């Protein structure tokens, strides 16, 4: 009897020990996880209180990956999985002292906010070809996106999935439900392989922990994920329709506009999907930053419209199409054959008869779309995509400026453009090195001008991941212009963890032009560039340090030396989680062949650019940033700049951000007309303000305000020489003064209520205003006054969208 009781007691003790250890399974280096299939009913609330979670094995393989020490974390993270015919379920139980938890609500995809977050990546191709990532922060704010080889993360995808969190006695927990029909998967046999990765952000430590151990300082990622294995997952056909209605009160034209349309989604199989939109409305899209650009090179603005963001990964033909920097060094403008901001963007300007004037706001109004369609899929080793979009005709409000009809308004009709994109990508069999070859073709059709581009791209990643090569060759074919040719080849070599060397070479002839649908900052260029990045963690005096040295040298087709530079950047994160960033750049003497706007090339003096910035710990309720800079102007003279920012988050529901940037320029060189240049003494102010309040993680109210004001007084005058050389000093040309002031104001108030996944209600007010004038003796308070501004947009939009379907 005693012996039986003893055995019973020992059995219960062992059971208690096992429960205390949560059945944590230790994995070997190449072990795969075979997921269990269950038909359990799960309420996604973050609580992990269903019995199924206690029956599953747990995994805790996390190490510290940022900084990349690969040390064992101080708190446990236990992950459990199971699946059924329709969904993948993931539950995570995270230990952490409750007083250190940081919850901050936000809109979707706000990855930059420092808060406690758990996220996972699924390689649904099973071969390291493409995948999706999903994240939920404490407080239930969601984020998601796509990932391409080897570590090209994007937030340009919003899927229908569920994620919730809950505070616990020992920390916090989270639950995910990912429908298999939400993601693209190839057709396979009964057994399906899925790559898996999970990371946890611990905000009060400013650390990120990952499983597997894949810090950003090593070359491999998507091809080295943890293997999960499931059986019998073959999602059925999915169809969804998103009807919407929108009402817009245009207070400039004194017109109320009504719009009804719909978005469609059809996935007949796991590896093919069709999305379409009819009569879309993009009036609720977040406004761009205000930028005043007086140079000859275009400013790139990222896409923000959901239809063009989703499923865009197959159309990404090279890393140069990615604009997101991943370090202290600057990446520069993208080179890409597809910039979907052109679609429904600024219309083709009408040809005006003498005595006819069209207001500036008419020439920059976005073109309405009749509809658009996108097809993406996979067949064997090939992935493919097609995109088509069709603009409506444009109505320009014009006014006669001469004759007996002077001042009489009338309309001018303009034609919209039609767009087409075809993409095919071949990827070799998995195992060993990665090789891929792609073809991309675009067309822009307009009665006044047809433009075509065709490109071939190639990609290589060695088996070890140390060598990475990407290249693209493209041609342009535009009515009335000779065919153009361009291309580039980029190499990357990872010496060891934290040390990377990059080298690139590009050639663009003087007629290549991909900007009807793509983005290219300049043509007529031969450039060589290089970068060396070195990241060191766990220093005695700092948490981590990243040093970046990069440079370029270039010439044009006339063998003019059009630029070079060498740049040193260093960012240090100290033990108290404050950051210090320092940058130094040097530009030798060179020729500028762009900013004369086709009137010749001229020589610039050597220049130095210096800046320093400090940021406090962003996980605190109050965080601040300070910065200062100095740089030389092109013909001499100096520019001094300073900036200050403040962020206040007294609770997880409220945040306020304020920043101000100031520049004092002496010798600012600007082209005026023909061969004339003028230098200016100028001041520029750029204040920004935003406030966010969340009724819940699904309901957000946001107000943002940005103003850019410039006040410039003429100083010296120059002429462009007949042959490339120094600008020629001259006296002031006849005519009015060149002094000027510019002011642009952007105000947007937004309310969004996500009533269900991908179903929401929007109320958005947008006001854009612009003022440009010859400079009087007014101060900046006069420039800022709204009475001086001509409104470019003043619109109130109400929109409701709801998802129906499987």
């Amino acid at each position: 009897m005693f012996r039986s009781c003893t055995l019973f007691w020992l059995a219960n003790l062992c059971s208690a020990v096992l429960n205390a250890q949560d059945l944590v399974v230790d994995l070997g280096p190449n072990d795969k996880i075979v997921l269990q299939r269950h038909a359990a009913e799960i309420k996604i609330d973050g609580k992990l209180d269903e019995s199924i979670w206690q029956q599953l094995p747990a995994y805790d393989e996390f190490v510290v990956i940022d900084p990349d020490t690969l040390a064992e974390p101080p708190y446990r993270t236990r992950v459990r999985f199971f699946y059924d015919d329709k969904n993948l379920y993931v539950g995570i139980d995270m230990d952490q002292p409750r007083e250190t938890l940081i919850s901050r609500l936000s809109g979707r995809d706000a990855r930059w906010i420092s808060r406690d977050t758990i996220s996972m990546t699924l390689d649904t191709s099973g071969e390291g070809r493409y995948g999706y990532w999903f994240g939920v922060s404490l407080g239930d704010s969601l984020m998601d996106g796509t990932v391409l080889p080897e570590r090209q993360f994007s937030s340009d995808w919003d899927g229908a999935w569920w994620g919730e969190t809950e505070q616990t006695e020992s920390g916090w927990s989270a639950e995910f439900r990912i429908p298999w029909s939400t993601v693209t998967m190839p057709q396979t046999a009964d057994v399906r392989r899925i790559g898996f990765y999970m990371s946890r952000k611990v905000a009060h430590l400013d650390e990120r922990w990952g499983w597997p151990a894949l810090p950003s300082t090593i070359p491999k990622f998507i091809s080295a994920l943890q293997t999960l294995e499931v059986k019998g997952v073959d999602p059925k056909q999915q169809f969804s329709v998103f009807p919407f209605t929108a009402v817009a009160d245009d207070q400039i034209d004194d017109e109320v506009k009504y719009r009804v349309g719909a978005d469609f989604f059809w996935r007949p199989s796991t590896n093919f999907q069709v999305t379409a939109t009819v009569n879309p409305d993009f009036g609720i899209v977040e406004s761009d930053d205000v930028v005043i650009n007086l140079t000859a090179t275009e400013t790139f603005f990222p896409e923000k419209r959901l239809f063009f963001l989703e499923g865009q990964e197959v159309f990404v033909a090279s890393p140069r199409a990615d604009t997101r920097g991943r370090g202290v060094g600057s990446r520069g403008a993208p080179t890409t054959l597809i910039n979907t901001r052109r679609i429904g963007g600024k219309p083709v300007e009408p040809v005006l008869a003498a005595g006819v004037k069209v207001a500036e706001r008419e020439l920059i109004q976005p073109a309405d779309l009749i509809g658009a369609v996108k097809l993406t899929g996979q067949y064997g080793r090939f992935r493919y995509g097609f995109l088509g979009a069709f603009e409506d005709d444009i109505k320009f409000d014009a006014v006669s400026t001469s004759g007996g009809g002077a001042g009489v308004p009338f309309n001018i009709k303009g034609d919209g453009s039609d767009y087409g994109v075809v993409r095919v990508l071949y990827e070799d069999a998995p195992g060993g090195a990665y090789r891929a070859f792609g073809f991309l073709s675009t067309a822009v059709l307009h009665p006044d001008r047809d433009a075509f581009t065709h490109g071939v791209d190639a990609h290589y990643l060695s088996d070890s991941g140390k060598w990475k090569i990407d290249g693209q060759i493209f041609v342009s074919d535009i009515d009335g212009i000779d065919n153009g040719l361009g291309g580039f080849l980029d190499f990357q070599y990872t010496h060891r963890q934290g040390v990377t060397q990059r080298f690139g070479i590009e050639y663009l002839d003087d007629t290549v032009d991909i900007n009807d649908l793509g983005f290219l900052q300049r043509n007529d260029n031969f450039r060589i560039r290089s970068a060396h990045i070195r990241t060191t963690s766990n220093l005695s005096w700092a948490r981590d340090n990243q040093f970046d040295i990069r440079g370029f040298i270039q010439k044009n087709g006339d063998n003019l030396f059009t630029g070079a530079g060498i740049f040193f950047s260093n960012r240090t994160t100290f033990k108290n989680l404050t950051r210090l960033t320092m940058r130094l750049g040097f530009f030798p003497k060179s020729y500028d062949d762009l900013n004369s706007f086709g009137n010749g090339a001229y020589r610039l003096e050597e220049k130095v650019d210096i800046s320093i910035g400090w940021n406090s710990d962003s996980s605190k309720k109050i965080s601040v940033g300070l910065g200062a800079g100095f740089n030389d102007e092109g013909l001499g003279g100096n520019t001094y700049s300073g900036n200050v920012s403040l962020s206040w988050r007294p609770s997880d529901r409220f945040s306020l951000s304020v920043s101000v940037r100031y520049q004092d320029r002496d010798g600012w060189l600007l082209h005026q007309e023909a061969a004339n240049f003028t230098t200016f003494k100028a001041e520029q102010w750029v204040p920004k303000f935003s406030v966010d309040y969340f009724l819940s993680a699904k309901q957000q109210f946001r107000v943002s305000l940005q103003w850019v004001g410039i006040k410039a007084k003429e100083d010296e005058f120059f002429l462009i020489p007949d042959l490339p050389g120094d600008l020629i000093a001259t006296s002031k040309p006849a005519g009015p003064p060149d002094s000027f002031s510019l002011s642009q104001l952007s105000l947007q108030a937004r309310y969004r209520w996500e009533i269900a996944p991908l179903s929401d209600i929007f109320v958005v007010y947008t006001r854009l205003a612009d003022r440009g004038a010859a400079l009087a003796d007014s101060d900046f308070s006069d420039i800022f006054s709204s009475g001086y501004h001509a409104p470019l947009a003043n619109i109130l939009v109400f929109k409701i969208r709801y998802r129906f379907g499987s």
Side-chain angles (χ1 to χ4, degrees):
M1 179 70 177
F2 175 79
R3 183 177 182 182
S4 298
C5 291
T6 302
L7 291 174
F8 178 80
W9 179 81
L10 288 174
N12 278 279
L13 177 63
C14 292
S15 176
V17 170
L18 287 173
N19 287 333
Q21 293 178 347
D22 296 306
L23 297 174
V24 174
V25 177
D26 289 328
L27 293 173
N30 298 311
D31 287 353
K32 66 182 178 182
I33 299 175
V34 180
L35 297 193
Q36 298 180 21
R37 180 193 288 266
H38 291 279
E41 292 291 330
I42 296 291
K43 179 183 179 182
I44 302 300
D45 54 13
K47 294 182 178 180
L48 302 180
D49 53 1
E50 292 86 0
S51 61
I52 182 64
W53 293 121
Q54 313 312 316
Q55 302 169 22
L56 296 168
Y59 302 88
D60 185 2
E61 299 286 327
F62 289 79
V63 297
V64 179
I65 60 170
D66 183 16
D68 61 344
T69 61
L70 306 186
E72 181 178 346
Y75 316 135
R76 295 194 303 167
T77 306
R78 297 169 300 285
V79 182
R80 296 174 173 88
F81 318 83
F82 76 94
Y83 71 101
D84 59 24
D85 290 341
K86 295 183 178 180
N87 304 284
L88 170 67
Y89 296 91
V90 184
I92 310 99
D93 190 10
M94 292 161 279
D95 291 351
Q96 187 173 332
R98 288 174 60 92
E99 66 273 12
T100 67
L101 295 177
I102 296 177
S103 171
R104 290 172 174 173
L105 303 186
S106 74
R108 199 171 186 125
D109 296 338
R111 289 192 285 170
W112 59 89
I113 298 176
S114 181
R115 55 189 169 177
D116 293 323
T117 302
I118 189 74
S119 60
M120 66 178 178
T121 298
L122 298 177
D123 167 23
T124 56
S125 76
E127 299 177 347
R129 303 314 194 216
Y130 55 85
Y132 301 83
W133 64 272
F134 310 85
V136 59
S137 297
L138 181 60
D140 301 338
S141 296
L142 303 182
M143 56 194 78
D144 53 12
T146 59
V147 60
L148 294 175
E150 189 62 30
R151 199 188 296 268
Q152 296 182 63
F153 280 90
S154 168
S155 299
D156 301 344
W157 175 82
D158 288 341
W161 59 279
W162 287 259
E164 298 280 344
T165 64
E166 180 74 14
Q167 290 196 27
T168 65
E169 290 298 322
S170 59
W172 64 292
S173 58
E175 287 179 310
F176 290 85
R177 177 163 75 90
I178 312 296
W180 296 119
S181 57
T182 291
V183 298
T184 298
M185 295 186 292
Q187 290 183 333
T188 64
D190 185 52
V191 176
R192 183 182 296 275
R193 178 196 179 278
I194 296 175
F196 176 83
Y197 170 80
M198 182 158 276
S199 71
R200 176 182 173 185
K201 172 73 179 202
V202 183
H204 83 100
L205 299 175
D206 194 25
E207 290 184 351
R208 184 170 293 277
W209 308 340
W211 165 42
L214 299 172
S216 61
T217 51
I218 66 174
K220 281 203 166 187
F221 179 74
I222 195 172
S223 62
L225 303 189
Q226 171 67 48
T227 299
L228 306 182
E229 195 173 275
V230 296
K231 293 183 178 181
V233 172
D234 187 18
K236 305 303 180 184
Q237 180 177 152
Q238 182 188 25
F239 179 79
S240 299
V241 59
F242 303 81
F244 68 82
T245 182
V247 180
D249 180 11
D250 190 331
Q251 299 175 22
I252 297 178
D253 294 335
D254 193 21
E255 180 182 5
V256 177
K257 303 175 182 178
Y258 302 90
R259 178 167 295 207
V260 176
D263 299 331
F264 301 89
F265 175 88
W266 179 45
R267 191 194 297 275
S269 64
T270 60
N271 60 349
F272 178 75
Q273 72 178 46
V274 179
T275 54
T277 183
V278 176
N279 201 29
D281 176 79
F282 300 120
I284 49 82
V285 174
E286 183 180 355
S287 58
D288 293 312
D289 286 341
V290 177
V291 176
I292 295 179
N293 181 2
L294 303 181
T295 71
T297 52
E298 183 182 6
T299 300
F300 178 82
F301 291 100
E303 180 61 87
K304 297 183 179 182
R305 298 168 297 179
L306 184 59
F307 175 84
F308 293 108
L309 290 173
E310 291 186 335
Q312 193 176 3
E313 57 274 7
V314 71
F315 299 102
V316 177
S318 84
R320 290 203 184 195
D322 186 3
T323 60
R324 293 171 296 276
R326 295 187 181 88
V328 67
S330 174
R331 291 173 61 95
T335 297
T336 175
L337 299 188
I338 302 177
N339 173 24
T340 53
R341 284 296 295 264
R342 308 285 190 196
I343 301 173
K346 186 172 70 171
V348 177
E349 291 189 15
V351 178
L352 301 178
V356 176
K357 181 180 179 180
V358 174
E360 176 67 20
R361 69 176 294 265
E362 294 292 309
L363 299 177
I364 63 172
Q365 63 176 316
D368 288 333
L369 290 184
I370 298 172
V373 62
K374 180 163 43 181
L375 292 76
T376 57
Q378 180 176 355
Y379 182 78
R381 307 248 62 83
F382 289 91
R383 287 196 288 140
Y384 57 88
F386 168 80
L387 171 65
F390 314 95
E391 291 178 347
D392 202 354
D393 291 337
I394 314 297
K395 182 189 74 172
F396 298 96
D397 292 335
V399 64
S400 178
T401 61
S402 62
V408 177
F410 62 98
N411 297 129
I412 297 175
K413 179 183 176 182
D415 295 299
S417 298
D418 297 331
Y419 302 85
V421 180
V422 174
R423 170 69 167 160
V424 179
L425 178 67
Y426 172 81
E427 297 168 302
D428 68 350
Y434 170 80
R435 301 175 183 85
F437 304 91
F439 171 77
L440 180 63
S441 182
T442 73
V444 180
L445 308 180
H446 187 274
D448 296 336
R449 169 188 171 109
D450 290 343
F452 301 89
T453 65
H454 311 286
V456 177
D457 54 279
H459 313 273
Y460 172 80
L461 180 69
S462 66
D463 188 25
S464 66
K466 287 182 172 292
W467 279 102
K468 184 176 185 292
I469 304 173
D470 297 280
Q472 186 177 30
I473 299 174
F474 47 85
V475 297
S476 62
D477 180 3
I478 302 173
D479 287 349
I481 301 176
D482 291 341
N483 291 356
L485 174 67
F488 55 84
L489 187 61
D490 294 328
F491 301 87
Q492 177 175 301
Y493 179 70
T494 302
H495 296 267
R496 56 178 172 80
Q497 180 178 324
V499 182
T500 301
Q501 179 68 47
R502 296 172 182 159
F503 177 82
I505 184 170
E506 68 184 53
Y507 169 77
L508 305 163
D509 71 18
D510 60 353
T511 58
V512 66
D513 183 357
I514 63 176
N515 283 340
D516 286 82
L517 183 52
F519 189 92
L520 181 65
Q521 196 166 59
R522 67 159 297 159
N523 59 10
D524 189 18
N525 195 43
F526 177 77
R527 171 185 286 199
I528 297 174
R529 64 185 191 179
S530 181
H532 180 83
I533 304 100
R534 187 175 291 261
T535 303
T536 308
S537 300
N538 205 25
L539 301 167
S540 61
W541 52 277
R543 195 197 77 160
D544 61 72
N545 188 81
Q546 184 176 88
F547 175 74
D548 184 301
I549 177 173
R550 60 185 61 205
F552 77 95
I553 185 170
Q554 67 183 33
K555 68 175 184 177
N556 66 11
D558 295 327
N559 283 319
L560 287 179
F561 178 70
T562 55
I566 184 168
F567 314 97
F568 301 88
S569 304
N570 194 86
R571 182 177 63 207
T572 303
T573 302
F574 296 101
K575 299 288 188 179
N576 63 358
L577 304 185
T578 60
R579 284 184 171 86
L580 181 66
T581 303
M582 297 179 289
R583 293 185 171 93
L584 170 64
F586 173 75
F587 304 85
K589 292 182 178 181
S590 62
Y591 289 92
D592 189 328
D593 60 343
L594 294 181
N595 286 303
S596 67
F597 292 86
N599 291 285
Y602 56 94
R603 186 157 36 219
L604 296 174
E605 299 298 321
E606 64 183 32
K607 298 186 293 182
V608 172
D609 191 343
I610 303 172
S611 68
I612 184 170
W614 177 86
N615 295 91
S616 67
D617 180 0
S618 61
S619 69
K620 303 298 184 182
K621 290 185 177 181
I622 297 178
S623 59
V624 297
L626 301 171
F630 164 86
N631 64 273
D632 296 317
E633 294 288 350
L635 297 184
N638 302 319
T639 290
Y640 298 91
S641 61
N643 63 82
V644 59
S645 62
L646 170 69
S647 179
W648 180 44
R649 298 178 181 272
S651 72
D652 62 344
R653 296 176 181 270
F654 179 85
S655 67
L656 182 148
S657 298
V658 180
S659 67
V660 178
R661 188 171 75 249
Y662 172 75
Q663 279 189 314
D664 184 356
R665 308 188 70 164
D666 181 8
W668 186 17
L669 182 67
L670 292 175
H671 178 256
Q672 300 304 300
E673 70 283 320
N676 295 316
F677 269 90
T678 302
T679 60
F680 296 86
K681 296 179 182 293
E683 291 180 87
Q684 177 172 322
W685 287 92
V686 185
K688 296 176 68 175
F689 167 87
S690 66
V691 59
D692 292 87
Y693 180 72
F694 291 83
L695 299 173
S696 70
K698 310 299 182 185
Q699 294 188 71
Q700 176 190 14
F701 179 74
R702 175 180 176 83
V703 177
S704 60
L705 172 70
Q706 184 181 6
W707 173 62
V708 177
I710 298 175
K711 186 176 180 180
K713 291 186 176 181
E714 62 183 18
D715 187 18
E716 296 181 300
F717 307 92
F718 299 90
L719 293 174
I720 302 172
D722 294 332
L723 297 175
D726 294 331
L727 289 173
I728 302 168
T730 186
S731 58
K732 176 177 170 52
D738 294 334
S739 300
F740 67 93
S741 65
L742 289 175
S743 177
Q744 288 191 2
L745 179 71
S746 172
L747 169 66
Q748 189 172 71
R750 296 165 50 89
Y751 170 76
R752 179 179 184 243
W753 179 19
E754 185 180 354
I755 53 182
L758 303 183
S759 302
D760 30 46
I761 295 174
F762 282 97
V763 181
V764 180
Y765 172 73
T766 302
R767 178 179 174 85
L768 303 176
D770 174 81
R771 177 180 182 266
L775 185 64
D777 290 329
S778 60
D779 58 22
F780 271 104
S781 63
D782 295 324
I783 295 174
F784 180 71
S785 171
S786 61
Y788 281 81
H789 286 73
L792 300 177
N794 194 8
I795 299 176
L796 177 65
V797 177
F798 172 84
K799 180 177 179 179
I800 182 169
R801 180 184 69 159
Y802 196 83
R803 175 176 178 260
F804 296 92
S806 56

